[in-house]
Amino acid sequence: MDESLRQALGQTNFTPWDWGIVAAYLVASLIVGILVKDRVHGMASYIGAGRAVGTRLGIAAMAGTEMGLITIMYSAQKGFVGGFAAFHIAVASGVVALVVGLTGFMVYRLRELRVLTIPEFYERRFGRRTRILGGFMLAFGGILNMGLFLKVGSMFIVGITGMSETGGALKLVMVGLLTLVLVYTVLGGMISVMITDYIQFVILSFGLLLTTGLAINQIGWSHIFDTVASEMGSKGFNPFEAEGEFGVEYVVWMAFLGIVNCGIWPTSVARALAMESPEAVKKQFAWSSVSFTIRFMIPYFWGICAFVFIMTAAPDLKAVFFPDGAEGADNLYAMPVFLGRILPAGVIGLITAAMIAAFMSTHDSYLLCWSSVITQDIVAPLRPGGLSARSRVLLTRILIVVIGLYVLWWGLFYEGNDDIWDYMAVTGAIYFTGAFAVMFGGLYWKRASSTGAVLALLSGSTALLGLGPVQALLGMSGRFTGAQVGLATVVFSLVVMIAGSLLFPDKSAPTETPPPDNTPA
Amino acid sequence: METWALIWKICFIVVVTVFAGMSVWITIGGWQDVRALLRKLKDDDEAEQE
């Protein structure tokens, strides 16, 4: 971080009162986690909250999980560089969630089957080897995917509070936040995650709306649109503009990611599987379409506001982010710097608490999700005689801590120069491109076979070709965009699923009715 | 460009308005669901002990 950026980050309105607000929120989260730990009596309650979550709590938990601080940061960056054209991603995400909610596409049938994890469905439909392979790929891609969450989230907090990056503040924030999340997640499992997600939703939704109102009040509604029009032209509004940030393939890729977010990405599917009934799942997704839209749209808007503010009202920041004839500062910092300048003391503490809420609600869900997948879908099926309920809960708790330590280590010591957004998209795609073919085939095609499923899961690895360093290694740099590689991998996995199933059909018919829950309670 | 600007303005206003209303509904209703969840888990505990 260069000196000019450090000075820009240091200009904040954060006061001791704001620290008090943040501290009160953190203590409340911790107390809730400790209070509900006595309610945990088995895996169904530990990772599925006893399948007793009502619709409104389910919506709050879904929003809390999917509105992570890392999403807010990178979405703001997208708005900063892409303008209002980035809004198409939010709209695509919301429309797809609404369609999933109205039709129950994938999630309804999954909930009917009463599975606790996606690989558990693989086993019921395709057998044990598919479950273990699917669990491994899911955990591998997922844990890699969250590797930089802690660091990026902590960077926001250090930046907005005005703490100096030197002197170990970043490391202290990372360790402190991780410890807090680990304590309440390990103790209370999905029950405490659900309840803290609810608290986090309340704080976060209020914070998002308040900040948006203050930003509009500060800059001016018409001025925002006028500046984007004058600085970016039509590419700041039209997502299909060839010379803009996006284009047709990107829009289609984002629509597919909308399906992934609803029906395949395990953390949101875990919310669906914890609901009290399949009908409640449909309501959950239909209403969550609003929060799925908002979680992108508001951060884009903040990024756009930051762009307008920097271009028209903050010449010192313009010199930092858009210096003449030189490379500007990392525009990831634009939104926090902007918020640090416009939010008054008191409000900034509330917003920081809201952002910490976004940070924690994502971390707790991801930690619980990946650890439970390893326990349920890799270790338990591989162990002769299975695992008792007590052993499963204990192992899941240990794995939560282990994954948490990995995230801390990765954040502290990883020095890679990858574009983080590309890194996240590719690591996620390793899992979800193959998983889409397997789940779609498994749920809706009777002839889908276990060999086809295994081959489709493995073919998802070709998504790695979307990563810049891999393209460079193979001498194909710049030839294909991440969106093109992602879409090609989806089509490839579907073709492999169909061809593998037709060429190597299963000898026995697939299970059509949900068997009794085989998870020890 | 004007058409796209108008579309995004309408989208933004509609979505933020709906989200504001939904936030109030979820804040109130979600609390009721939290209480119901804890009550059910407590009942399950008691049934298990019996």
Side-chain angles (χ1 to χ4, degrees):
Chain A
M1 188 186 293
D2 62 29
E3 189 54 35
S4 58
L5 180 59
R6 187 173 288 121
Q7 284 179 0
L9 286 173
Q11 294 179 34
T12 175
N13 298 325
F14 217 85
T15 65
W17 283 106
D18 300 300
W19 277 117
I21 294 169
V22 171
Y25 166 71
L26 295 177
V27 170
S29 294
L30 191 62
I31 289 172
V32 168
I34 292 168
L35 286 179
V36 301
K37 74 177 170 53
D38 293 337
R39 299 277 178 248
V40 177
H41 289 286
M43 280 306 270
S45 61
Y46 191 66
I47 68 173
R51 294 194 184 96
V53 176
T55 303
R56 295 157 301 186
L57 178 57
I59 296 165
M62 182 77 84
T65 301
E66 301 308 322
M67 232 183 269
L69 181 50
I70 194 155
T71 309
I72 291 171
M73 289 283 276
Y74 284 102
S75 296
Q77 188 183 38
K78 254 329 179 213
F80 187 82
V81 298
F84 286 98
F87 272 23
H88 79 274
I89 304 169
V91 172
S93 179
V95 168
V96 171
L98 183 61
V99 171
V100 168
L102 294 175
T103 62
F105 181 63
M106 286 190 172
V107 291
Y108 186 92
R109 297 189 75 166
L110 274 178
R111 177 59 188 83
E112 269 188 328
L113 289 168
R114 294 175 61 81
V115 292
L116 282 174
T117 64
I118 289 173
E120 194 179 328
F121 162 73
Y122 293 167
E123 179 172 9
R124 291 192 185 180
R125 182 64 176 79
F126 298 113
R128 183 150 293 193
R129 67 171 178 165
T130 313
R131 177 181 191 166
I132 295 169
L133 175 66
F136 176 78
M137 294 200 66
L138 196 164
F140 176 67
I143 292 170
L144 276 179
N145 186 262
M146 73 175 298
L148 295 172
F149 284 19
L150 182 62
K151 185 176 185 180
V152 174
S154 299
M155 282 166 67
F156 175 90
I157 292 161
V158 167
I160 200 165
T161 55
M163 283 188 276
S164 169
E165 204 209 23
T166 57
L170 183 66
K171 291 174 185 173
L172 281 175
V173 170
M174 288 171 71
V175 171
L177 286 178
L178 180 66
T179 305
L180 208 62
V181 174
L182 285 177
V183 167
Y184 78 75
T185 310
V186 167
L187 291 178
M190 183 62 94
I191 301 168
S192 66
V193 166
M194 280 285 177
I195 296 170
T196 51
D197 275 2
Y198 164 73
I199 298 168
Q200 288 153 7
F201 171 84
V202 174
I203 295 171
L204 186 58
S205 56
F206 182 68
L208 288 174
L209 292 168
L210 179 65
T211 304
T212 303
L214 288 170
I216 294 171
N217 184 54
Q218 184 86 14
I219 302 174
W221 177 249
S222 299
H223 183 59
I224 295 168
F225 283 85
D226 293 343
T227 306
V228 171
S230 62
E231 296 288 339
M232 296 186 183
S234 62
K235 68 179 184 181
F237 295 94
N238 182 356
F240 298 104
E241 180 100 12
E243 293 176 2
E245 282 287 313
F246 308 107
V248 177
E249 290 114 343
Y250 195 91
V251 174
V252 176
W253 178 231
M254 288 301 109
F256 177 75
L257 288 184
I259 298 173
V260 169
N261 283 332
C262 294
I264 300 172
W265 196 242
T267 50
S268 58
V269 173
R271 294 288 168 284
L273 300 180
M275 296 299 286
E276 60 194 359
S277 69
E279 284 305 320
V281 174
K282 289 174 74 172
K283 282 185 195 167
Q284 180 192 34
F285 274 96
W287 279 103
S288 292
S289 63
V290 179
S291 54
F292 270 62
T293 311
I294 279 291
R295 74 174 176 140
F296 290 127
M297 192 172 273
I298 284 186
Y300 294 151
F301 188 73
W302 290 1
I304 294 165
C305 289
F307 175 78
V308 173
F309 180 77
I310 289 168
M311 296 306 283
T312 62
D316 59 324
L317 292 178
K318 190 176 177 183
V320 171
F321 288 101
F322 301 100
D324 291 329
E327 193 178 341
D330 186 349
N331 53 24
L332 196 58
Y333 287 106
M335 184 268 286
V337 169
F338 164 67
L339 293 185
R341 295 276 179 103
I342 67 154
L343 297 178
V347 174
I348 202 169
L350 186 71
I351 300 307
T352 305
M355 293 300 111
I356 292 174
F359 173 91
M360 292 170 71
S361 59
T362 303
H363 270 77
D364 57 21
S365 302
Y366 276 59
L367 288 169
L368 187 64
C369 184
W370 309 135
S371 58
S372 60
V373 164
I374 295 172
T375 301
Q376 292 283 91
D377 306 311
I378 301 175
V379 178
L382 283 173
R383 189 180 161 86
L387 281 174
S388 66
R390 189 184 174 89
S391 300
R392 287 178 194 236
V393 172
L394 178 65
L395 179 60
T396 305
R397 283 176 163 154
I398 292 169
L399 286 167
I400 287 171
V401 176
V402 171
I403 297 170
L405 291 174
Y406 150 77
V407 172
L408 179 64
W409 171 79
W410 195 255
L412 286 175
F413 299 109
Y414 180 69
E415 298 289 346
N417 295 318
D418 311 289
D419 179 307
I420 298 171
W421 178 250
D422 286 344
Y423 167 88
M424 286 174 59
V426 170
T427 51
I430 292 168
Y431 156 70
F432 67 67
T433 47
F436 175 73
V438 175
M439 291 184 65
F440 187 68
L443 287 168
Y444 296 106
W445 189 36
K446 284 186 179 177
R447 295 179 67 182
S449 76
S450 57
T451 304
V454 167
L455 293 173
L457 281 171
L458 291 172
S459 65
S461 311
T462 53
L464 278 168
L465 294 172
L467 202 60
V470 177
Q471 287 196 2
L473 198 68
L474 299 175
M476 48 189 276
S477 293
R479 202 175 296 174
F480 303 106
T481 64
Q484 288 169 334
V485 173
L487 287 171
T489 306
V490 174
V491 174
F492 179 58
S493 300
L494 283 168
V495 169
V496 166
M497 179 78 199
I498 294 167
S501 298
L502 293 176
L503 291 172
F504 306 101
D506 287 333
K507 287 174 184 167
S508 56
T511 306
E512 285 298 314
T513 52
D517 190 350
N518 63 359
T519 304
Chain B
M1 185 166 75
E2 286 78 15
T3 308
W4 278 108
L6 183 64
I7 289 170
W8 298 136
K9 274 181 191 174
I10 293 169
C11 275
F12 184 77
I13 292 168
V14 169
V15 172
V16 170
T17 305
V18 173
F19 181 68
M22 196 184 94
S23 297
V24 175
W25 175 57
I26 297 295
T27 300
I28 298 166
W31 176 243
Q32 292 168 352
D33 284 352
V34 167
R35 293 177 64 185
L37 172 67
L38 293 175
R39 200 163 44 242
K40 182 182 181 302
L41 291 168
K42 189 180 175 188
D43 291 346
D44 289 349
D45 280 356
E46 288 169 358
E48 202 173 278
Q49 284 169 4
E50 286 169 11

